[in-house]
């Protein structure tokens, strides 16, 4: 029985310049045929007992789920209702774009049981939004928050980005001012990572991507943490901040190395010691389903060593860190017996602390998280 369910909607009306997720332009795509195939995949998963009494969380991501029309969204939710039991469900989330989340879509999401919205705002600077390839403006982001509250949504989160091409400290501070003025219970903020096969990657290779330096990016991250703390919004993971009771349950499943199922083109899952990924291209995904089989493209049997590594580098992303007691219960070994050398070295460097039965990043370690995580990968 899986703890979480991720459902992938790969369609976008605009491809952002930084995005490397599995996605396609909406126009001229077999959207309804894809939704039919997705519904059939969910039915297969139910028949195989993957859902059991139902997941704790459902998260619809993309792509852009709100690129779908109201009718297409209704088809998607009907498929979920038919095949996914909700006896254990405690969080039902979807991603959304500000300029696509219309009042009628909000009403439908609310009617179908969605309780949490993750809205891709990224910036409140008009010029930076254009550079990112976003289609909304700052006013759209502020409007959609008002509309969502009017529709009865309380559990709202927005995504922000820093370290963007040409971004100044002053622009980042203004984005934080406008974001915090919305008084939301959850914020996610990520530094830009330039991924292969993106517009930004091609520009970077031509020396046409003026990124802020590492020191400026660190200053932006420091400002982010300080402003969130001043507002009483607690950092619970390197890039995520929430008031009490509004942490993302679904994302915590990933960081706690729990099980989750993935449905849709390019979706990933993890269950019974096996990580898997679905076919990414729509045609291959839909053909597999049409042939009556799960559209799984690749599987990997996770070794005990890999599972322990994942427990460390995923768990250390959370401010609470890794519990030595939970590690012992899960693996039958003491964390110090397995990673004592790494933990001692990182403590000496001031990047980790090991106190009260928990191993966690220090304030310095939060800035150098990737360096810490790499020490636990064999």
């Amino acid at each position: 029985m899986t703890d979480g369910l991720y459902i992938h909607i790969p369609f976008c009306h605009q491809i952002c310049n930084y995005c490397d997720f599995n996605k396609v332009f909406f126009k001229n795509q077999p959207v309804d045929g894809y939704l039919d195939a997705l519904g059939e995949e969910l039915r297969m998963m139910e028949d195989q007992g993957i859902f059991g009494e139902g997941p704790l969380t459902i998260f619809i991501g993309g792509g852009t789920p709100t690129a779908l029309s109201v009718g297409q969204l209704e088809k998607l939710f009907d498929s979920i209702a038919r095949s996914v039991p909700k006896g254990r469900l405690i969080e039902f989330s979807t991603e959304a774009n500000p300029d696509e989340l219309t009042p009628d879509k909000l009403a439908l999401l609310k009617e179908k049981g969605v309780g949490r919205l993750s809205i891709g705002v990224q910036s409140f600077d008009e010029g930076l939004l254009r550079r990112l390839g976003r289609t909304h403006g700052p006013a759209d982001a502020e409007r959609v928050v008002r509309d969502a509250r009017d529709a009865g949504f309380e559990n709202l989160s927005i995504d922000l980005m820093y370290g963007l091409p040409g971004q100044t400290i002053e622009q980042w501070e203004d984005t934080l001012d406008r974001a915090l003025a919305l008084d939301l219970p959850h914020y996610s903020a990520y530094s830009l990572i330039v991924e292969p096969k993106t517009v930004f990657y091609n520009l970077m290779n031509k020396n046409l991507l003026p990124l802020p330096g590492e020191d400026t990016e660190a200053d932006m991250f420091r400002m982010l943490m300080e402003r969130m703390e001043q507002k009483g919004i607690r950092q619970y993971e390197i890039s995520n901040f929430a008031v009490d009771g509004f942490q993302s349950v679904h994302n915590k499943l990933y960081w706690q190395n729990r099980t989750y199922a993935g449905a849709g083109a390019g979706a990933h899952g993890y269950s019974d010691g096996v990580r898997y990924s679905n076919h990414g291209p729509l045609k291959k995904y839909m053909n597999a389903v049409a042939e009556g089989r799960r559209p799984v493209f690749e599987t990997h049997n996770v070794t005990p060593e890999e599972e322990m590594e994942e427990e460390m580098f995923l768990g250390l992303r959370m401010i609470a860190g890794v519990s030595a007691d939970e590690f012992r219960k899960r693996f039958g070994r003491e964390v110090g017996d397995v990673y004592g050398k790494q933990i001692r070295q990182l403590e000496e460097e001031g990047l980790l602390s090991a106190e009260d039965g928990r191993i966690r990043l220090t304030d310095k370690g939060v800035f150098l998280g990737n360096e810490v995580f790499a020490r636990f990968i064999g």
Side-chain angles (χ1 to χ4, degrees):
M1 181 165 59
T2 186
D3 292 318
L5 170 61
Y6 173 79
I7 298 173
H8 192 71
I9 304 299
F11 306 108
C12 295
H13 290 296
Q14 169 72 21
I15 303 296
C16 297
N17 294 335
Y18 56 88
C19 180
D20 72 331
F21 293 120
N22 189 46
K23 77 283 181 185
V24 293
F25 278 112
F26 190 96
K27 190 175 181 180
N28 298 324
Q29 294 294 337
V31 179
D32 287 289
Y34 175 81
L35 293 174
D36 290 336
L38 178 57
E40 182 62 15
E41 184 191 9
L42 291 172
R43 187 197 61 76
M44 292 180 193
M45 296 168 82
E46 181 193 21
D47 288 347
Q48 293 175 8
I50 290 172
F51 301 136
E53 296 176 10
L56 297 170
T57 65
I58 300 173
F59 190 101
I60 305 173
T64 315
T66 50
L68 300 177
S69 68
V70 170
Q72 290 163 341
L73 282 169
E74 190 147 21
K75 175 185 282 193
L76 170 64
F77 284 109
D78 287 347
S79 293
I80 295 170
R82 278 195 302 270
S83 298
V84 185
K86 295 181 181 177
R88 300 197 304 154
L89 190 66
I90 58 176
E91 183 183 88
F92 194 168
S93 309
T94 187
E95 293 178 346
N97 273 357
D99 54 338
E100 296 173 346
L101 198 53
T102 57
D104 53 348
K105 291 181 184 179
L106 281 164
L108 178 67
L109 295 178
K110 189 69 176 175
E111 175 192 335
K112 298 299 182 179
V114 173
R116 183 176 187 272
L117 300 177
S118 178
I119 305 170
V121 172
Q122 317 312 354
S123 177
F124 283 90
D125 184 275
E126 191 82 48
L128 288 174
L129 287 171
R130 298 286 81 76
R131 178 168 282 184
L132 289 170
R134 304 294 288 175
T135 55
H136 71 272
D140 293 314
E142 292 162 336
R143 172 197 55 77
V144 80
V145 168
R146 292 194 299 271
D147 288 349
R149 283 178 165 145
D150 289 344
F153 287 95
E154 297 179 2
N155 197 348
L156 300 172
S157 176
I158 61 173
D159 288 353
L160 303 173
M161 297 180 71
Y162 60 95
L164 302 176
Q167 187 180 33
T168 65
I169 284 283
E170 291 75 22
Q171 287 172 314
W172 177 232
E173 185 171 24
D174 180 67
T175 278
L176 288 176
D177 286 342
R178 295 182 71 168
L180 290 169
L182 296 174
D183 198 25
L184 300 173
H186 191 286
Y187 296 86
S188 299
Y190 304 96
S191 63
L192 174 69
I193 298 175
V194 180
E195 301 284 4
K197 300 180 181 179
T198 63
V199 172
F200 277 176
Y201 185 79
N202 294 333
L203 290 173
M204 185 177 69
N205 285 339
K206 297 175 183 177
N207 294 317
L208 296 175
L209 196 69
L211 297 173
E214 289 183 2
D215 290 344
T216 299
E217 188 173 307
D219 289 342
M220 290 177 175
F221 186 39
R222 186 175 293 106
M223 178 183 289
L224 166 70
M225 292 190 293
E226 290 173 352
R227 294 295 303 278
M228 291 292 169
E229 184 176 359
Q230 291 167 5
K231 189 76 171 177
I233 304 169
R234 298 183 182 180
Q235 185 179 20
Y236 69 97
E237 190 268 347
I238 289 178
S239 302
N240 286 271
F241 305 78
V243 299
D244 288 345
F246 287 90
Q247 297 179 351
S248 170
V249 181
H250 184 83
N251 286 338
K252 285 176 70 175
L253 294 180
Y254 298 145
W255 302 319
Q256 293 168 346
N257 210 13
R258 304 271 292 276
T259 62
Y260 57 93
H268 293 249
Y270 176 45
S271 182
D272 297 325
V274 178
R275 292 195 180 276
Y276 67 87
S277 58
N278 279 353
H279 286 289
L282 297 192
K283 186 174 181 180
K284 289 186 177 181
Y285 170 83
M286 294 169 66
N287 283 347
V289 175
E291 292 167 4
R293 55 188 174 87
R294 291 272 304 283
V296 174
F297 166 66
E298 190 174 38
T299 62
H300 173 69
N301 293 309
V302 180
T303 67
E305 291 75 18
E306 289 171 332
E307 191 176 3
M308 287 188 289
E309 291 173 359
E310 291 169 353
E311 186 81 3
M312 296 303 295
F313 70 73
L314 291 171
L316 285 171
R317 289 194 62 88
M318 299 192 67
I319 302 305
V322 175
S323 164
D325 186 49
E326 289 299 320
F327 189 96
R328 184 189 315 112
K329 289 178 182 177
R330 183 163 188 170
F331 302 109
R333 301 179 66 181
E334 297 291 340
V335 65
D337 292 342
V338 183
Y339 295 114
K341 180 180 178 181
Q342 293 94 321
I343 292 170
R344 286 191 296 273
Q345 288 177 341
L346 289 163
E347 281 187 294
E348 291 170 3
E349 296 170 32
L351 301 177
L352 271 192
S353 70
E355 299 175 343
D356 303 322
R358 301 197 75 89
I359 301 95
R360 53 171 65 90
L361 295 174
T362 61
D363 291 344
K364 178 182 177 183
V366 169
F367 282 86
L368 299 170
N370 288 336
E371 180 179 326
V372 175
F373 307 149
R375 305 283 188 92
F376 294 95
I377 300 174

